[in-house]
Amino acid sequence: MPAKSFPVFDLSRFETATGADREALGAEVDRICRETGFLAISGHGVPQEVIDRAWNAAHDFFDLPAQEKHEARAPYPGYPYGYLGPELEALAKSRGEDTPPDLKESFNGGPLSAPEGLDDEQALAFCYADTIWPTGPAGFRDAWTAYYRAMEDLAARIMQVFAVALHLPEDAFAATIDKPISALRALNYPEQAVPPKPGQLRAGAHTDYGSLTILLPQAGSGGLQILDPAGEWVDVPPVPGAFVINIGDLMARWTNDRWVSTLHRVVNPQLAAGASSRRQSFAFFHQPNWHQEIACLPTCLAPGEKPKYEPVLSGPYLMSKFQATVKPAA
């Protein structure tokens, strides 16, 4: 998909618009989410310094020797946070597809604190588990935390756009995401010196699980692809100064499939062409509150139509999906 044809939405324009102009911009997002569920967000207001500090800290972390990175590793398969080494996750398994593990490594962090008074043991053991922080590089945790907070704020603002796009009050989602169980993931796709196994990708074909994902791809990089409505895999280009946004499974369920949780993947570089370069990205997975019931929104149900899905709870749904992707202990 050429960059010039990839939809770019100016968030600052929406936030300063009123009346019919605001409704028209909401309708634009509705159209995009019905067609592909992927768009770029410009005018987001996230300070470049916050982005750069987190990006450089993650890059320096992935540059560390394997032994140092493993000091921050997840303590057991299925633990959601900390360092996850190469070939320990197969995202396609979340869809029931058996593939070799993905050619990537990641560092993962969850909510910065648990809600006061929360006593749900599953929530505390999974989404609110401790992030296993590395001892280096210097400033890593502070840079990560600042970026996480910026993504929380940006996600809430995008959810306001979504509410307008779905003909709901602008604050319709506010109570469903005031204690989100979102996660931030830094991803490193190492250089590939040897051919991958049959069916092995940098990230297998999958959909995301929550309400929306905010992706920061490496400038000038390739590899991210989405399955378009015609059934063809097309490239998603990095857009300078913008984040790539896609909706997830829970938003598709909320909208009764009015909006598309699009299948996407990260393909391998072409070794013969000398394009075996390392690739980095950030993905912020925005997820509604643990106990939030996800059921069809009234504005997404035509007269006489029935919901396609039974209601689910945000947290248990996320946990089941995540644990299906993790390689079991040997």
Side-chain angles (χ1 to χ4, degrees), residues 5-227:
S5 65
F6 189 71
V8 180
F9 183 80
D10 185 344
L11 182 59
S12 65
R13 185 181 169 203
F14 174 86
E15 292 180 331
T16 56
T18 58
D21 290 341
R22 200 175 182 86
E23 295 294 328
L25 290 168
E28 179 183 333
V29 169
D30 176 47
R31 176 186 58 78
I32 295 167
C33 290
R34 282 187 283 113
E35 291 175 355
T36 67
F38 265 78
L39 68 157
I41 295 286
S42 64
H44 48 73
V46 179
Q48 191 62 43
E49 179 186 3
V50 170
I51 297 171
D52 291 344
R53 283 184 61 217
W55 186 270
N56 293 335
H59 189 277
D60 292 347
F61 171 78
F62 289 127
D63 268 351
L64 293 173
Q67 182 177 352
E68 291 186 43
K69 289 186 285 189
H70 276 87
E71 291 175 0
R73 69 185 180 276
Y76 54 82
Y79 191 88
Y81 307 131
Y83 175 66
L84 194 64
E87 299 193 58
L88 291 179
E89 182 181 60
L91 288 174
K93 288 187 177 181
S94 66
R95 302 175 54 249
E97 184 179 347
D98 190 16
T99 67
D102 298 338
L103 294 169
K104 67 178 186 296
E105 59 181 338
S106 64
F107 182 85
N108 308 273
L112 302 179
S113 62
E116 187 175 349
L118 179 69
D119 59 2
D120 186 298
E121 292 184 4
Q122 272 196 322
L124 291 170
F126 183 66
C127 287
Y128 292 105
D130 291 334
T131 296
I132 313 299
W133 296 106
T135 56
F140 179 95
R141 184 170 180 173
D142 287 345
W144 183 276
T145 299
Y147 187 84
Y148 186 101
R149 292 191 190 283
M151 294 300 100
E152 276 193 316
D153 175 72
L154 179 56
R157 291 156 58 205
I158 294 170
M159 290 293 283
Q160 291 179 334
V161 180
F162 284 1
V164 173
L166 293 167
H167 305 289
L168 296 167
E170 187 173 306
D171 63 352
F173 291 115
T176 73
I177 60 168
D178 59 348
K179 300 177 182 66
I181 50 174
S182 305
L184 175 59
R185 164 171 276 200
L187 292 144
N188 183 53
Y189 305 94
E191 292 185 2
Q192 294 179 8
V194 297
K197 301 179 182 72
Q200 189 173 37
L201 299 176
R202 281 182 153 177
H206 64 286
T207 57
D208 292 339
Y209 314 141
S211 45
L212 64 95
T213 300
I214 304 174
L215 176 70
L216 179 64
Q218 184 168 320
S221 67
L224 176 62
Q225 296 182 334
I226 63 173
L227 191 68

Side-chain angles (χ1 to χ4, degrees), residues 275-307:
S276 60
S277 60
R278 167 179 174 174
R279 181 184 190 271
Q280 180 173 302
S281 65
F282 270 125
F284 181 78
F285 301 102
H286 185 246
Q287 185 84 15
N289 302 349
W290 175 273
H291 290 293
Q292 178 59 44
E293 182 182 79
I294 308 299
C296 181
L297 295 165
T299 58
C300 296
L301 206 59
E305 187 180 13
K306 294 183 178 180

